[in-house]
Amino acid sequence: MKNQLINFHLNGEPVEVYADPADNLLQLLREQLGLFGTKAGCGKGECGACTVILDNQAVNSCLVPAGKVQGRRIETIEILSRGNKIHPIQEAFVEKGAIQCGFCTPGMIMSAYALLKENPQPTSEEIKVAISGNLCRCSGYIQIEEAILCAAEKIKDRIKDSGDKR
Amino acid sequence: MGYLIASNLEQALASMRDSKGKARVVAGATDLYLQKLPDKLIDITAIPETTKIEQIDGNLTIGSTVTHTAAAGSPLVRSKATALAEACSLIGSPQLRNIGTVGGNVINAAPAADAAVALVALGANAALINTAGEYREEKVEDLYKDYNLSLIDTSSEIMLRLIIETCVGGEGSAFVRFASRKALSLPLVNAAARVRIVEGRLKDILLVVAPVRPAPTRLLHTEEMLRGMSASEETWRSAETAAAAEVDVRNSLLRCSVQYRRHLVGVLAGRALKKAAERAVGREEGDYR
């Protein structure tokens, strides 16, 4: 298709790109916007490596036409860290050894991020459902589940601490 | 413009007319890249008529672009069209359910699409409007031309909503599936049922299994046999036998052998009926929860 102007919010900032609206969001993020954190896996919605957040919900960016994100809010793995400071979910993944080859990690973390925003204290079963669209071929699912439980605790503690300071 | 997010119905229909058959309607777009891309895409997910879940008189209407996540989580769908909520909660993965739509599940015309199977068992109609402004309603099972091919022409027609007569007192519905994994897995077989029980006996029955034919398939002989029988374990066992005997299935490299599929059809038909009947009994007559 012919390029068209697409405006949306990316990681909290307004962006404007001139792109083929039939390209997928994953291509747009990686090839036009230079955000390589989101991984390209299967390209057909089966592996979850390309998971990003579209208006607070996890989606496979490889299946979202770029034209569809007009006016929407997209969050990618890049939103979670600022300089050397990483997000509690990322800390928990490191501490629990939930990363082996690392290829599924950004997608896993974004699925966890979407879950914890909606449900800050999930059960193990809810975590399993939330990451059921993310394949880890190193099969480190148990550590990933532990990391997400741990991240939920960390976030709860931080909210409590910041409340105490106030 | 290549990709149009239509903000209202008239804009979408006008754009389709201007494109003279070269544009295609798109909603969740999860299957878009599996097909040849058209010249133009008209996204209907922002059209208000396609986005609502409403109870209108005795009907539950579900907008065609309601996502599987929204349908699965809707208290209205869960209580009045339980089979659909169950089916939607089991489709693909969270990422796919967050963007894939109930209408798309029908129009994409996969033979064992979970939501479509539940819709047929619920007796759902689809409301459609074309570029000439003509409105029609069709039974969901009548919208299939062939495997993965819908009779709905997405260059000239828009599905607005699905309409289900809501389950009331004495009625219940259920959906079950069997797949090799719990997520991201095609069902080997799925089944759904809607039953009305009056004084302990099965009165109205809709029983659907897939994949048997291009469209989700009602098992009319089994339904007929069950009419008037008591809601009991013995009945579910005979339903299993009747359902397995009624289907004409084939070997499939993608799914499973003919024997295994026939076995699954029976077991799942029995489970769907039993679950639907339990819900029907749990719901008092005149209970409109």
Side-chain angles (χ1 to χ4, degrees):
Chain A
M1 280 182 187
K2 261 175 44 188
N3 284 1
Q4 68 189 54
L5 206 58
I6 302 167
N7 289 284
F8 60 105
H9 270 75
L10 176 60
N11 296 334
E13 306 278 339
V15 293
E16 186 174 79
V17 285
Y18 197 59
D20 182 340
D23 273 358
N24 61 53
L25 174 59
L26 176 64
Q27 286 172 294
L28 187 69
L29 291 171
R30 291 179 60 92
E31 291 164 22
Q32 286 221 36
L33 296 166
L35 295 181
F36 299 112
T38 306
K39 300 301 172 207
C42 70
K44 44 188 181 179
E46 292 182 1
C47 75
C50 69
T51 300
V52 300
I53 311 298
L54 167 64
D55 289 344
N56 290 327
Q57 290 187 305
V59 297
N60 296 306
S61 60
C62 72
L63 296 183
V64 178
K68 202 179 192 44
V69 304
Q70 171 66 37
R72 312 281 290 267
R73 281 178 298 127
I74 304 292
E75 292 167 277
T76 67
I77 186 74
E78 284 85 359
I79 199 177
L80 296 189
S81 55
R82 288 279 181 267
N84 289 331
K85 196 167 158 36
I86 60 172
H87 191 276
I89 303 175
Q90 293 169 309
E91 288 173 9
F93 268 62
V94 173
E95 285 166 20
K96 296 291 173 186
I99 302 162
Q100 291 183 54
C101 86
F103 195 82
C104 74
T105 309
M108 283 290 180
I109 288 180
M110 292 317 279
S111 285
Y113 180 64
L115 170 70
L116 295 179
K117 262 190 164 185
E118 201 196 324
N119 178 1
Q121 293 293 307
T123 62
S124 290
E125 201 46 47
E126 287 165 339
I127 291 171
K128 282 179 187 149
V129 172
I131 61 168
S132 64
N134 295 78
L135 295 187
C136 167
R137 290 300 75 173
C138 311
S139 77
Y141 294 105
I142 295 191
Q143 291 84 346
I144 292 168
E145 193 188 312
E146 285 170 2
I148 298 171
L149 280 169
C150 167
E153 286 305 307
K154 281 175 183 280
I155 293 168
K156 192 175 80 179
D157 290 347
R158 275 180 215 193
I159 291 169
K160 211 169 77 191
D161 288 352
S162 65
D164 289 349
K165 275 176 211 150
R166 270 187 243 125
Chain B
M1 191 140 88
Y3 194 100
L4 171 71
I5 301 177
S7 51
N8 60 62
L9 189 56
E10 198 31 63
Q11 187 192 15
L13 293 172
S15 176
M16 287 164 89
R17 279 192 293 272
D18 292 347
S19 311
K20 298 182 169 57
K22 294 203 165 161
R24 277 191 45 203
V25 168
V26 72
T30 52
D31 286 310
L32 179 68
Y33 297 115
L34 299 175
Q35 298 152 17
K36 189 174 172 285
L37 282 174
D39 290 351
K40 180 173 175 179
L41 291 163
I42 300 171
D43 186 320
I44 63 165
T45 55
I47 298 176
E49 284 92 333
T50 70
T51 60
K52 298 189 183 85
I53 299 174
E54 290 173 302
Q55 166 90 35
I56 300 172
D57 298 325
N59 289 327
L60 179 65
T61 68
I62 297 155
S64 61
T65 69
V66 166
T67 63
H68 302 303
T69 298
S74 155
L76 266 179
V77 180
R78 290 163 74 114
S79 65
K80 291 164 194 291
T82 315
L84 181 63
E86 275 175 326
C88 289
S89 76
L90 295 168
I91 288 171
S93 66
Q95 290 94 320
L96 292 167
R97 295 194 286 273
N98 284 340
I99 198 161
T101 66
V102 175
N105 202 253
V106 173
I107 296 177
N108 197 48
D114 297 306
V117 168
L119 285 166
V120 172
L122 288 161
N125 283 341
L128 304 151
I129 191 159
N130 68 15
T131 48
E134 292 160 341
Y135 175 91
R136 67 185 174 118
E137 287 181 13
E138 299 282 349
K139 280 180 166 301
V140 168
E141 63 263 46
D142 293 341
L143 294 173
Y144 291 75
K145 190 172 186 181
D146 205 341
Y147 287 99
N148 305 306
L149 192 59
S150 175
L151 282 169
I152 297 172
D153 176 1
T154 55
S155 69
S156 68
E157 217 165 9
I158 294 174
M159 186 193 285
L160 297 172
R161 63 189 84 91
L162 293 139
I163 304 164
I164 298 166
E165 219 181 290
T166 52
C167 283
V168 292
E171 271 192 290
S173 70
F175 170 90
V176 291
R177 86 205 293 269
F178 188 85
S180 51
R181 298 183 300 275
K182 282 187 188 165
L184 282 170
S185 197
L186 274 178
L188 298 182
V189 171
N190 52 18
R194 173 176 182 161
V195 302
R196 181 197 301 277
I197 295 178
V198 177
E199 290 165 0
R201 294 197 175 269
L202 291 163
K203 191 154 187 286
D204 301 323
I205 304 137
L206 280 92
L207 175 62
V208 175
V209 297
V212 177
R213 287 202 295 266
T217 305
R218 273 183 67 185
L219 300 183
L220 298 171
H221 293 298
T222 308
E223 290 178 8
E224 180 57 39
M225 180 205 81
L226 290 168
R227 208 156 286 135
M229 288 174 79
S230 64
S232 65
E233 284 301 323
E234 202 185 344
T235 299
W236 314 138
R237 292 292 87 75
S238 45
E240 280 183 15
T241 313
E246 182 169 348
V247 294
D248 185 17
V249 286
R250 54 183 185 169
N251 284 306
S252 161
L253 289 176
L254 185 64
R255 300 190 203 259
C256 55
S257 71
V258 61
Q259 294 87 349
Y260 191 45
R261 197 189 295 185
R262 193 179 287 286
H263 171 75
L264 284 175
V265 163
V267 171
L268 294 181
R271 279 185 200 168
L273 285 163
K274 182 180 175 184
K275 219 163 144 190
E278 283 168 357
R279 287 183 180 143
V281 171
R283 191 193 299 264
E284 300 295 319
E285 262 192 72
D287 181 0
Y288 287 88
R289 264 179 308 162

